Amino acid sequence: MPVKRQKWSAQFGDWFRDVLINAGIFDYRYPIKGSGVWMPYGFKIRKNVLQVLRDLLDNTGHDETLFPLLIPETSLAQEAVHVKSFEGECFWVTYGGFEPLKVRYALRPTSETVIAPMLKLWIRSHADLPMKLYQVVNVFRHETKATRPIIRMREVEPFKEAHTCHATAEEAEKQVQDALNLYKQFFDSVGVPYVVSRRPDWDKFAGALYTLAFDLLCPDGRVLQIGTVHNLGQNFAKAFDITYETKDGNQEYIWTTSYGISGRGIAAVLIAHGDDNGIVLPPKIAPIQVVVVPVPYKGKQKEINQACKKVAATLKDAGFRVELDMRNDLTPGNKFYYWELRGVSLRVEIGPRDLDNGVVIVVRRDNLKKQPIKMGDIVSGIDTSTKEITHDLKENAETYIKKRVFRVNSVSEAKSLLKRKTGIIEVLWCGKDACGHSLEDSVEARLLGIPEDIEQTIDGKCVVCGEQALNFVRVALAY
Ligand code: 5CA
Ligand code: ZN
């Protein structure tokens, strides 16, 4: 079972591609560029991650739905800004059998224009609002940039998208903040390091008033957009004529928002916690939280195996997801290597000396630290270790971000830090588009936008034009 192991930080892109296949997560060798396969182990991770998202949404008044995959071109074209941005990215269905279609269909690149015609039918009065729907689907975008497994797909899967409708601008605005908090909870619960920024106008979602985006800081110093929240104002409501009757009997357009997390939300977990041995899964989403491995010894085989079975059964009864690895064609060392690659949160080893001492050895996947735990205390011991991992992963993510966001006072300093791939740079900005574009060009990096997750007191001049600054703005090398 020879697996190629790329260093996590040095060869990050190669590491990711290899680990996805070696750990049985995602196979990108399907004969269509930009489509791939969730393998059995990867699918279990995917399912657990989605469950965390579903729980968060279900508990905050969202209802899961399922809308069609095909969009008639007439619907897609209804919101002018939206269609302009997306039509060039669509895959088009033009034939039904041998018959050319009168109206061609787009495979949904996203679902605002799929949902809108139905909202028009469903929403009558203020009593129908707010309405918060979501679906988990695949969307299709003919990406022209280099595709990458999970991260930049043409068949994007999973794509979790929420769409909400409100009676007033204030309620939509509040929903955007609520969505932001939901996503923060999600990324925090799996220890993903991110920043949240308000995208510049030229980079917002097509048809939105504004876009707030989560960016993951990858180990190679680049950022990856891993989630977005859009305030759509009344743009789609007006384009699709979606109105409701107010309490006073007037007809008003509704206000809408949408927000989404794709497979990148899963990739973020793998990327954030990987190391040279493979992936590291937070217990919350790990398909296997504990693996029990016997360390055989001549003459004690039977007792050791029995102890392992007993420990595994006890932990299973206590509700942990447990694997008992009794394969006898592999050495314990090979088994350790196998489960480390797959990111199993905790390993329990039992050898002859442990048996004599009435203990088991518990090894944490995140820091590989070993700790003996009394056989009788196994459930509370594993419970504590599980909590410690979750806590430490979150704390590491926060420290990681703190250490890699830099404030500098000039374009040249920003440029030299970005050259060294140190992370995210914040500089003062007057807010003018021209200065934003000029900054992007001079530092050869992407403007992520204005910080949305920190308090800022602004006192100084724009690093480009020298006029009074209104905000900090973030720049970084981006995927
Ligand atoms: N309707 C809105 C809200 S769901 C929407 O489509 N927003 S989006 O265009 O910003 O997409 C949501 C998220 O999907 C993005 O933040 C990004 O993290 C992810 N995403 C976008 N394109 C791809 C792609 N080609 N492959 C994987 N993930 C993608
Ligand atoms: Zn300026």
Side-chain angles (χ1 to χ4, degrees):
M1 184 193 40
V3 281
K4 196 163 90 197
R5 286 194 173 185
Q6 297 283 355
K7 287 254 184 246
W8 175 69
S9 50
Q11 297 291 337
F12 159 66
D14 296 340
W15 174 89
F16 188 57
R17 190 197 54 225
D18 289 352
V19 92
L20 288 180
I21 295 205
N22 291 337
I25 297 168
F26 193 82
D27 198 331
Y28 192 51
R29 293 170 298 183
Y30 187 73
I32 290 180
K33 183 179 153 74
S35 286
V37 180
W38 287 97
M39 298 161 76
Y41 187 63
F43 192 84
K44 291 189 179 90
I45 299 173
R46 174 192 173 284
K47 196 163 147 183
N48 291 344
V49 171
L50 285 175
Q51 195 56 52
V52 177
L53 276 169
R54 282 193 163 99
D55 287 345
L56 282 168
L57 292 164
D58 292 346
N59 291 331
T60 50
H62 297 73
D63 287 306
E64 187 164 359
T65 53
L66 189 55
F67 286 77
L69 165 65
L70 298 176
I71 315 178
E73 186 171 15
T74 40
S75 290
L76 189 74
Q78 234 160 302
E79 211 289 334
V81 180
H82 188 74
V83 66
K84 219 173 145 224
S85 153
F86 277 109
E87 67 184 341
E89 274 184 41
C90 286
F91 286 90
W92 293 98
V93 178
T94 53
Y95 275 82
F98 298 114
E99 292 286 310
L101 297 174
K102 287 202 179 70
V103 174
R104 54 179 187 157
Y105 303 142
L107 301 186
R108 64 182 160 222
T110 181
S111 302
E112 276 75 8
T113 62
V114 178
I115 291 172
M118 304 314 291
L119 296 177
K120 183 175 164 59
L121 300 174
W122 294 344
I123 294 171
R124 298 267 72 106
S125 87
H126 59 88
D128 300 319
L129 298 173
M131 188 181 281
K132 303 188 215 173
L133 308 176
Y134 76 95
Q135 61 176 2
V136 182
V137 293
N138 41 2
V139 298
F140 294 81
R141 295 183 182 182
H142 192 261
E143 296 278 358
T144 45
K145 278 195 190 172
T147 56
R148 279 169 182 275
I150 307 182
I151 289 175
R152 182 166 284 108
M153 301 293 286
R154 287 181 172 171
E155 178 171 2
V156 185
E157 206 290 336
F159 190 77
K160 194 288 305 157
E161 50 178 329
H163 297 263
T164 71
C165 308
H166 307 272
T168 64
E170 295 70 43
E171 281 175 36
E173 185 78 38
K174 184 176 173 293
Q175 189 59 41
V176 164
Q177 288 306 316
D178 288 353
L180 210 63
N181 287 328
L182 280 182
Y183 283 1
K184 280 184 184 168
Q185 278 181 55
F186 166 70
F187 288 122
D188 288 345
S189 76
V190 284
V192 165
Y194 60 85
V195 293
V196 188
S197 315
R198 184 174 295 239
R199 287 283 187 256
D201 262 353
W202 64 84
D203 198 22
K204 67 186 182 187
F205 181 71
L209 298 181
Y210 62 85
T211 289
L212 307 179
F214 286 75
D215 289 298
L216 163 76
L217 183 54
C218 299
D220 61 356
R222 284 176 186 269
V223 296
L224 174 70
Q225 176 178 300
I226 49 172
T228 28
V229 181
H230 317 290
N231 189 335
L232 305 174
Q234 291 180 311
N235 291 344
F236 286 89
K238 286 182 177 162
F240 286 84
D241 189 34
I242 312 169
T243 59
Y244 73 99
E245 189 175 291
T246 64
K247 284 183 182 145
D248 325 324
N250 297 321
Q251 290 294 318
E252 297 272 4
Y253 289 115
I254 62 162
W255 300 78
T256 64
T257 80
S258 70
Y259 31 101
I261 288 182
S262 73
R264 286 186 193 180
I266 304 168
V269 181
L270 308 180
I271 291 167
H273 312 305
D275 62 21
D276 294 347
N277 298 330
I279 62 167
V280 178
L281 293 174
K284 198 177 175 94
I285 58 142
I288 302 169
Q289 295 167 315
V290 188
V291 60
V292 181
V293 181
V295 181
Y297 189 79
K298 255 198 208 120
K300 293 228 172 168
Q301 203 88 335
K302 222 171 133 190
E303 288 160 272
I304 290 173
N305 285 352
Q306 253 164 9
C308 282
K309 279 182 194 159
K310 193 170 159 225
V311 164
T314 307
L315 289 173
K316 237 180 229 169
D317 283 348
F320 294 102
R321 297 190 284 272
V322 184
E323 174 85 21
L324 175 61
D325 190 351
M326 300 299 263
R327 291 178 291 181
N328 43 31
D329 55 336
L330 292 180
T331 65
N334 281 333
K335 292 181 184 177
F336 299 167
Y337 179 94
Y338 180 94
W339 295 113
E340 278 173 12
L341 173 63
R342 285 160 182 75
V344 172
S345 317
L346 291 163
R347 176 172 84 228
V348 171
E349 304 170 6
I350 305 179
R353 241 177 310 150
D354 309 319
L355 211 58
D356 293 342
N357 299 335
V359 299
V360 303
I361 303 300
V362 175
V363 187
R364 277 171 59 163
R365 173 63 185 91
D366 60 328
N367 57 17
L368 301 175
K369 279 193 184 137
K370 293 186 173 202
Q371 190 198 353
I373 291 183
K374 277 205 195 110
M375 206 78 88
D377 298 340
I378 186 72
V379 171
S380 64
I382 291 291
D383 192 44
T384 308
S385 299
T386 303
K387 289 188 177 125
E388 280 169 3
I389 294 181
T390 305
H391 171 269
D392 290 357
L393 289 179
K394 177 166 183 274
E395 202 169 80
N396 291 348
E398 283 163 7
T399 334
Y400 182 79
I401 280 287
K402 276 203 194 105
K403 280 198 191 146
R404 284 168 186 78
V405 179
F406 302 91
R407 282 200 176 162
V408 301
N409 295 315
S410 71
V411 174
S412 59
E413 282 173 275
K415 188 170 179 174
S416 75
L417 281 179
L418 286 165
K419 269 240 160 67
R420 285 167 25 218
K421 302 194 168 167
T422 37
I424 297 167
I425 314 296
E426 293 176 351
V427 293
L428 286 169
W429 181 36
C430 64
K432 284 201 278 295
D433 280 8
C435 287
H437 288 305
S438 155
L439 180 61
E440 278 190 326
D441 291 345
S442 347
V443 300
E444 292 167 57
R446 178 88 57 82
L447 210 127
L448 304 182
I450 297 167
E452 186 70 27
D453 46 0
I454 48 167
E455 295 295 326
Q456 10 174 1
T457 24
I458 308 300
D459 184 19
K461 312 277 182 227
C462 172
V463 289
V464 181
C465 69
E467 282 173 30
Q468 184 61 42
L470 297 180
N471 288 105
F472 277 99
V473 70
R474 291 180 173 135
V475 279
L477 300 174
Y479 274 107

